Amino acid sequence: MKKLNSQTVGQSVALRSRIYLYVAAAALLLIIGIIAFYAFTPVSKADSTQYLYIDDDDTQDSVIIHLSAMSHTAGMTGLAPLMRHSNYSKNIRTGRYAIEPKEGAIAVFRKLKNGQQASMHLTIPEVRTMDRLASVLGKKLMLDSAAIASALYSEEVCQKYGYDTCTVAAMFVPNTYDVYWNMSIDALMQRMEKEHDRFWQGDRESKAAQMQLTPIEVCTLASIIDEETSNNAEKPMIAGMYLNRLKTNMPLQADPTIKFALKQFELKRIWQKLLTIQSPYNTYKNIGLPPGPIKIASIQGIDAVLNAASHDYLYMCAKEDFSGTHNFARTYQEHLKNAAKYTKALNERGIK
């Protein structure tokens, strides 16, 4: 009887052990399942790619707050512990990160931890001043606009790239580039220098040399032409006229340079009294090109200079029909007739 009882007890213990083992295994599988569910559940609640921006001021908690605003609760339930129970707080990587619709917590965490940021399109605008350029770039990059302006107005910084504060606008080619949102000032300037060299290498550099002009001089003239007209088809004609003036040592007498000197870009008419301003940008007083571009020259403007029309015109005046194009003249007397027609049209419209 005792022997039977011992056997029964042994079987009972073995049964309980197996039950405990099954329960433990089931619990483990449940835990693994829960972890897997939260680890691989999509973090983003959007159907399209969202972007997380992390800058120098962000902390682990602020990053989690940013992520929570674009995430499912289930996704953050898996992601937040990964961030809090790792060394992420000691190694926060700035940047612009793409949060894809189907990415789970582990994938997002790995991306943030390793600094696998997404590039972005940066378009250099055809602006008139470096202040304006700094403002535009400051809204698109992690860089502060004041820091960008400080670099662009620093002779020391500009000289590193072969420019001064008057000519640095010529380094910027208005195009769209793939960059990283958190690029530094140095990285920005180096990239622009590289793109400038790539743009000029080959035909453009060769044509400029044949014209005995440097790329900076081409950009300077192109910037004036851009301000004279938005009609790209007419730009080679205007380029040819200004080149004729340069060859004969005749002042350029370009109204846009007066606006630049005065920093009054809204002016509709350039009155005689405005032509007395003392400035190296006053092309009515000074012969030759101004010290540098009066805006970031357009590619069309640059190519118009390099492919200028060959003619013997020395004068031009805006057409009286306000079409944005010009009447060209070979003699000053002919020019005065064109100018009279335009002045009459301005007066009739009450443009001051």
Side-chain angles (χ1 to χ4, degrees):
M1 191 70 179
K2 283 183 180 181
K3 188 173 182 180
L4 182 61
N5 286 342
S6 297
Q7 184 178 7
T8 302
V9 170
Q11 290 174 345
S12 178
V13 170
L15 178 61
R16 284 197 299 269
S17 297
R18 283 196 297 272
I19 292 173
Y20 291 150
L21 182 61
Y22 294 150
V23 170
L28 180 60
L29 288 173
L30 178 62
I31 292 171
I32 292 173
I34 293 173
I35 292 174
F37 172 78
Y38 286 117
F40 294 101
T41 295
V43 171
S44 176
K45 61 185 177 183
D47 294 329
S48 58
T49 303
Q50 298 187 90
Y51 292 95
L52 170 70
Y53 293 84
I54 302 176
D55 62 30
D56 289 326
D57 296 329
D58 276 308
T59 64
Q60 177 177 274
D61 289 338
S62 68
V63 173
I64 290 175
I65 290 172
H66 296 328
L67 281 166
S68 297
M70 60 177 70
S71 304
H72 291 295
T73 300
M76 285 306 298
T77 300
L79 181 57
L82 284 173
M83 297 172 69
R84 289 198 171 103
H85 297 294
S86 66
N87 65 346
Y88 178 73
S89 63
K90 299 178 181 178
N91 189 33
I92 296 175
R93 310 283 288 273
T94 63
R96 172 180 179 267
Y97 296 91
I99 309 300
E100 304 293 350
K102 295 183 179 181
E103 280 186 318
I106 291 178
V108 172
F109 175 68
R110 185 183 298 118
K111 185 180 291 184
L112 300 182
K113 183 179 180 182
N114 296 333
Q116 296 172 346
Q117 60 174 309
S119 63
M120 59 172 284
H121 296 313
L122 177 68
T123 299
I124 299 298
E126 298 173 23
V127 291
R128 292 186 174 108
T129 67
M130 293 300 94
D131 282 333
R132 181 59 184 156
L133 177 62
S135 176
V136 171
L137 296 183
K139 293 175 182 177
K140 296 180 178 179
L141 299 172
M142 191 176 82
L143 290 168
D144 180 70
S145 60
I148 299 172
S150 178
L152 295 176
Y153 285 109
S154 167
E155 291 290 355
E156 182 180 356
V157 172
C158 292
Q159 286 172 8
K160 282 174 58 178
Y161 302 97
Y163 300 88
D164 58 36
T165 54
C166 291
T167 61
V168 69
M171 185 173 74
F172 293 88
V173 179
N175 222 326
T176 299
Y177 308 100
D178 278 337
V179 302
Y180 287 112
W181 176 73
N182 64 342
M183 68 191 316
S184 65
I185 287 284
D186 286 340
L188 172 65
M189 297 294 279
Q190 289 168 12
R191 178 64 182 278
M192 293 300 100
E193 179 187 38
K194 178 181 178 181
E195 296 297 343
H196 169 276
D197 293 346
R198 180 181 297 163
F199 173 81
W200 281 93
Q201 188 176 25
D203 285 347
R204 290 188 176 95
E205 190 174 44
S206 176
K207 287 179 179 180
Q210 290 173 13
M211 300 171 72
Q212 297 184 325
L213 294 173
T214 67
I216 290 175
E217 290 171 330
V218 172
C219 287
T220 300
L221 184 53
S223 71
I224 295 172
I225 295 167
D226 282 339
E227 289 291 272
E228 291 283 16
T229 184
S230 59
N231 187 318
N232 290 328
E234 193 186 46
K235 287 180 179 180
M237 282 290 291
I238 299 176
M241 189 213 69
Y242 279 129
L243 288 170
N244 288 343
R245 289 187 174 187
L246 288 173
K247 291 173 186 176
T248 58
N249 285 326
M250 177 181 175
L252 292 183
Q253 297 180 332
D255 289 355
T257 63
I258 302 298
K259 294 180 183 181
F260 185 85
L262 294 167
K263 293 297 185 286
Q264 295 180 28
F265 302 107
E266 73 285 353
L267 289 173
K268 301 297 183 183
R269 298 180 70 167
I270 303 298
W271 297 93
Q272 189 68 30
K273 62 183 180 181
L274 300 178
L275 304 182
T276 60
I277 181 174
Q278 295 298 320
S279 168
Y281 289 92
N282 185 342
T283 57
Y284 280 82
K285 281 182 169 290
N286 306 297
I287 294 175
L289 292 168
I294 60 173
K295 67 180 287 290
I296 293 179
S298 71
I299 294 175
Q300 293 84 356
I302 292 170
D303 286 342
V305 175
L306 297 175
N307 299 281
S310 178
H311 56 66
D312 56 358
Y313 292 123
L314 285 172
Y315 303 92
M316 73 175 190
C317 181
K319 285 186 176 179
E320 63 277 9
D321 61 1
F322 297 96
S323 61
T325 56
H326 296 77
N327 289 314
F328 293 87
R330 294 176 177 83
T331 66
Y332 186 59
Q333 288 71 25
E334 187 182 353
H335 170 66
L336 288 177
K337 293 178 182 179
N338 292 332
K341 289 188 289 185
Y342 183 61
T343 299
K344 180 183 177 183
L346 289 173
N347 291 335
E348 288 175 348
R349 295 197 179 196
I351 298 175
K352 298 181 179 181

